[in-house]
Amino acid sequence: MISSIVFSAVLAAGVAGFTYQVRRLRRGLALARPSGRHDRTSERWATMARVALGQGKMGPRPLAAAMHLIVYVGFVLINVEVLEILLDGVLGTHRLLRAPLGSFYDGLMNFFEVLGFLVIVACVVFLGRRLVAGPERLKHPDLAGWPQRDAVNILVIEIVLMSALLLMNAAEYQHQVASNEQLVTSSPWWISGLLLPLFRGWSTSALSAFATSMWWLHFVGILAFLNYLPRSKHFHIILAFPNVWYSKLAPRGQIPAMNSVTTEIKAMMDPSFVPDPNAVPPARFGAKDVHDLHFANLLNAYSCTECGRCTSECPANQTGKKLSPRRIMMATRDRVDEVLAGGESATQKTLLDDWISREELWACTTCNACVEACPVNIDPLDIILQMRQYLVMEESAAPSTVNVAMGNIENNAAPWAYPQADRGNWIQS
Amino acid sequence: MSLNVPTMAELAARGESAEVLFWVGCAGSFDERAKKVTKAVAKLLNQAGVSFAVLGAEESCTGDPARRAGNEFLFQMQALTNIEVLNGYGVQKIVAACPHCFNTLKNEYPELGGSYEVFHHSQFIEQLLRDGRLRVEGGSFKGKRIVFHDPCYLGRVNGEYEAPRALLEKLDAEIHEMKRSKKNGFCCGAGGAQIFKEPEAGTAEVHHVRAEEALATGADVIAVGCPFCKLMLTDGVTHHGKEGQVQVLDIAEAIATANEL
């Protein structure tokens, strides 16, 4: 009875905490202007099914893809067991589903145990790749400090959660053996059975206490993890889905037109043109801060799990330039957090200059390698281009040589200073 | 072979029209190395008997570098002016010899009122081959090692990886791939208005890295499909001291050479 009350209270606190965090995130996303991406919904669901659910863009790196698939499937399926934990916890029962499910229950537990074991293996491999020997992108300066600690925390938490489950099962079985109870299952489950030697010689009360504590550790751990997520890169496990739903469906090579500019130019070219009287002029051309970006940009930033595939493919980054597409996303997210935290920094600082330098923005070749590389369709290039629009259209702050090229385009219709009248000269030469 | 390249204005004056507009682009009009590509495309179109014309002095930068440098105003000035000219001539089909022009005409002009069927020259020439309007004689590239560098705005951005390779296959040469090709192709470093500015501080130049990767395949010819890639990789090959040994050729130039045009 008491444990039911404690359980319910912990559960309520965990859910309340998570709800509070999600509200905070929603306030962050609400800073953005609308994305306009509510069209073509069936295509959006299909993209989500293929890219997020189906892991469709993980293929190019098979080892990471296989390990990630294990953790992903393991996480989703093993959480089915959370259903039983919730029922047991609230009702004060123990393994409520064992009797009704019969031998199917044993099959399920064997399956979960194998998955759990594989998750532990995958997490250990991931830790090894990150801390010992792995790709450069996992040791990149982008990750110095908190991001790297965050990554290690996540892997350790997952190992602890899975281990708690396996140890609980082992201790519980050993308890049955030690207390000469009639065995509910004739043989131990596959993985926890291998752990039985750890518990030889333990008293029945120690075994019982240990199994109970592992049960609580698993449950409290899940809730703690749930509350850790929104402050971590690991929130991608949830946000990847809506994030992919909001993917850019327009052709990859299309930068969306600014309608206010079209109106202005049409009015210039055609004196009889009547602009839409309801059109609202933009507060600003391009993006100086997160408020100027659109909803999908900010959702991208919160969905980024900092894997660095974008940066490892970026020609600027790979030739030692300061630009790192991953850092563009991390900086955008951190700036939204800064605005949400309020205070002087929220109003005194901006995404441009305080978080992302002009040098980074001008190093981009717009090659789209980062866009292609992202397994969840994050688009760092979109943010870079909007910030360039701010620099050029609001501050006229392009590099001087780019200004020369643009001046030429304006004056003689080519980026170089050749007269337009000579464009056909190649035919005779 | 002398070129037969009318302008749209000349045809209109004679009351004629063309099946397709050849969009030459700024590099193709003015840069010596890119002009060779322009002429190669024109020769191939002539050889296939394609009815085409150019805009000549009426052509104007598509606005791609301005837009990607963040100058939406200048981009739209260019785009809306070009669209007025193109629609004025009733243009329906365009073949562009530059992936940046190709991308902008194909993907960015429709939103501003300019919808055309747009081809990159590798796609158009490959179609001519498939339709039997053009043949590749082969021979001069026999036994040579050719590696193709995917232009970002043809490959990754517009998903066209096969047309240029299908053309190179016709040359009786050994076709090699770089470690990073197709979707993972590494940029030449020119795009996004980079070619018009000094690079930011770093440890290497993008085009040196890409040229090194191409040279590592042991290629005799680095084939490209973009005038800017051609400029960048030619400089890269020179940087590695391989000028005179390794050629950087546009696919159109290679086919025209094979056909002894």
Side-chain angles (χ1 to χ4, degrees):
Chain A
M1 186 60 199
I2 290 177
S3 86
S4 291
I5 293 168
V6 172
F7 181 92
S8 302
V10 172
L11 178 63
V15 171
F18 181 68
T19 311
Y20 172 79
Q21 303 263 23
V22 170
R23 283 226 183 106
R24 179 185 143 274
L25 171 79
R26 289 179 64 131
R27 274 193 292 128
L29 295 177
L31 296 174
R33 60 186 175 86
S35 69
R37 295 184 183 171
H38 292 96
D39 56 339
R40 299 158 77 175
T41 47
S42 56
E43 225 174 305
R44 294 190 177 282
W45 289 110
T47 310
M48 191 174 100
R50 180 170 46 83
V51 175
L53 194 66
Q55 310 271 292
K57 283 181 81 183
M58 291 292 282
R61 299 178 197 236
L63 174 69
M67 295 284 136
H68 181 269
L69 187 67
I70 289 170
V71 179
Y72 165 60
V73 172
F75 184 85
V76 172
L77 293 183
I78 294 170
N79 273 330
V80 173
E81 207 183 340
V82 174
L83 182 70
E84 188 185 40
I85 290 179
L86 290 179
L87 291 170
D88 279 346
V90 174
L91 304 172
T93 52
H94 181 63
R95 296 207 184 263
L96 181 70
L97 301 178
R98 174 145 61 186
L101 294 180
S103 64
F104 179 68
Y105 188 86
D106 289 319
L108 212 54
M109 287 301 143
N110 279 325
F111 177 64
F112 288 158
E113 283 203 348
V114 171
L115 261 183
F117 173 69
L118 289 174
V119 169
I120 293 174
V121 171
C123 289
V124 170
V125 171
F126 282 153
L127 275 177
R129 276 161 64 87
R130 211 165 259 280
L131 301 176
V132 188
E136 200 46 47
R137 63 192 164 94
L138 302 178
K139 302 180 180 68
H140 194 275
D142 284 352
L143 301 179
W146 164 251
Q148 195 63 279
R149 284 205 304 282
D150 182 25
V152 172
N153 288 347
I154 294 158
L155 293 168
V156 170
I157 293 172
E158 285 182 8
I159 292 171
V160 168
L161 287 178
M162 292 301 145
S163 303
L165 212 59
L166 295 173
L167 288 169
M168 173 184 79
N169 289 353
E172 209 182 305
Y173 186 84
Q174 189 65 22
H175 179 263
Q176 291 172 16
V177 174
S179 56
N180 290 318
E181 279 176 23
Q182 190 197 351
L183 293 183
V184 186
T185 48
S186 53
S187 57
W189 293 321
W190 294 343
I191 304 295
S192 59
L194 304 173
L195 302 174
L196 293 178
L198 292 174
F199 299 100
R200 295 268 152 76
W202 286 38
S203 69
T204 50
S205 57
L207 286 167
S208 157
F210 184 81
T212 308
S213 64
M214 286 299 111
W215 187 88
W216 278 96
L217 177 63
H218 186 73
F219 165 66
V220 175
I222 287 173
L223 283 182
F225 202 28
L226 191 66
N227 279 272
Y228 180 77
L229 281 186
R231 296 280 179 169
S232 155
K233 79 191 191 78
H234 206 48
F235 209 19
H236 87 287
I237 63 172
I238 294 170
L239 292 185
F241 293 89
N243 184 67
V244 173
W245 198 89
Y246 279 99
S247 296
K248 174 181 182 178
L249 294 183
R252 188 177 273 179
Q254 183 195 24
I255 297 172
M258 283 185 191
N259 295 332
S260 55
V261 170
T262 317
T263 305
E264 215 168 311
I265 296 174
K266 283 193 171 156
M268 264 166 54
M269 287 170 70
D270 175 8
S272 65
F273 175 77
V274 184
D276 176 6
N278 299 317
V280 187
R284 178 181 275 163
F285 290 117
K288 183 186 190 187
D289 206 348
V290 289
H291 314 78
D292 306 318
L293 295 170
H294 62 74
F295 177 82
N297 296 140
L298 301 195
L299 185 57
N300 276 183
Y302 275 100
S303 305
C304 175
T305 195
E306 303 168 7
C307 72
R309 284 164 169 78
C310 51
T311 293
S312 73
E313 301 287 330
C314 172
N317 190 273
Q318 294 307 300
T319 52
K321 276 78 172 177
K322 213 178 146 205
L323 172 64
S324 160
R326 165 170 58 186
R327 217 197 69 81
I328 298 286
M329 303 319 300
M330 294 166 73
T332 303
R333 177 200 59 205
D334 292 349
R335 170 62 188 156
V336 177
D337 280 342
E338 183 177 71
V339 172
L340 288 177
E344 206 168 289
S345 298
T347 48
Q348 300 296 307
K349 292 186 176 179
T350 56
L351 182 62
L352 178 69
D353 294 334
D354 292 304
W355 288 92
I356 296 174
S357 68
R358 295 162 192 235
E359 182 183 341
E360 287 165 86
L361 296 171
W362 288 114
C364 174
T365 69
T366 74
C367 77
N368 277 271
C370 55
V371 178
E372 173 66 39
C374 182
V376 293
N377 286 355
I378 289 171
D379 190 347
L381 177 57
D382 192 11
I383 295 177
I384 293 171
L385 287 170
Q386 290 179 69
M387 295 185 78
R388 280 188 178 182
Q389 285 171 341
Y390 169 79
L391 287 176
V392 171
M393 299 178 75
E394 294 281 350
E395 288 194 1
S396 301
S400 60
T401 43
V402 173
N403 273 333
V404 170
M406 291 193 297
N408 286 331
I409 293 174
E410 208 168 329
N411 295 323
N412 49 271
W416 303 287
Y418 297 105
Q420 188 174 9
D422 290 352
R423 276 187 98 98
N425 287 6
W426 62 271
I427 302 169
Q428 269 73 43
S429 68
Chain B
M1 176 173 164
S2 74
L3 289 173
N4 174 20
V5 184
T7 62
M8 280 288 182
E10 287 162 9
L11 290 188
R14 298 205 293 263
E16 295 168 19
S17 64
E19 175 199 344
V20 59
L21 171 74
F22 174 23
W23 186 276
V24 177
C26 301
S29 300
F30 296 121
D31 182 272
E32 288 309 320
R33 288 173 286 188
K35 270 154 79 172
K36 292 183 186 164
V37 182
T38 310
K39 286 184 194 171
V41 173
K43 285 174 186 171
L44 290 169
L45 294 177
N46 278 164
Q47 190 181 34
V50 176
S51 132
F52 76 100
V54 296
L55 284 175
E58 287 185 287
E59 191 185 276
S60 174
C61 173
T62 58
D64 159 84
R67 184 170 239 195
R68 277 155 188 80
N71 196 337
E72 179 71 8
F73 194 88
L74 179 55
F75 164 74
Q76 289 202 21
M77 283 285 287
Q78 295 301 116
L80 291 166
T81 311
N82 280 324
I83 288 168
E84 204 162 78
V85 173
L86 292 167
N87 290 353
Y89 284 119
V91 169
Q92 293 182 345
K93 246 188 209 186
I94 302 177
V95 54
C98 165
H100 295 270
C101 300
F102 161 71
N103 176 69
T104 295
L105 291 165
K106 179 183 162 76
N107 295 320
E108 299 191 317
Y109 278 22
E111 199 184 3
L112 297 169
S115 293
Y116 320 100
E117 199 183 347
V118 188
F119 301 88
H120 180 252
H121 65 288
S122 67
Q123 297 173 320
F124 196 79
I125 296 168
E126 205 247 339
Q127 188 62 50
L128 292 176
L129 246 62
R130 272 195 281 153
D131 293 347
R133 294 172 73 179
L134 187 69
R135 285 185 47 181
V136 178
E137 302 302 336
S140 52
F141 288 91
K142 198 173 168 105
K144 289 204 170 169
R145 295 167 73 91
I146 303 184
V147 65
F148 180 65
H149 161 81
D150 289 280
C152 303
Y153 277 79
L154 180 64
R156 189 159 42 237
V157 174
N158 282 291
E160 181 60 82
Y161 305 108
E162 294 315 318
R165 286 178 172 78
L167 288 177
L168 294 174
E169 290 289 342
K170 303 280 180 197
L171 293 174
D172 269 348
E174 282 178 47
I175 311 296
H176 291 262
E177 292 288 345
M178 281 183 262
K179 209 173 77 201
R180 292 180 285 194
S181 73
K182 299 188 179 174
K183 269 186 188 173
N184 304 318
F186 194 69
C187 179
C188 75
Q194 288 298 332
I195 197 164
F196 304 113
K197 60 183 268 297
E198 291 301 315
E200 278 62 31
T203 51
E205 303 295 341
V206 177
H207 61 295
H208 293 174
V209 171
R210 187 53 165 172
E212 191 179 358
E213 199 175 337
L215 291 170
T217 63
D220 305 303
V221 175
I222 301 170
V224 296
C226 169
F228 299 104
C229 297
K230 188 178 180 197
L231 305 189
M232 296 305 267
L233 292 180
T234 305
D235 286 353
V237 166
T238 306
H239 171 80
H240 293 293
K242 294 282 186 185
E243 76 272 31
Q245 296 167 54
V246 176
Q247 278 183 295
V248 180
L249 287 179
D250 188 277
I251 304 154
E253 284 175 290
I255 303 283
T257 305
N259 285 6
E260 293 174 356
L261 295 175

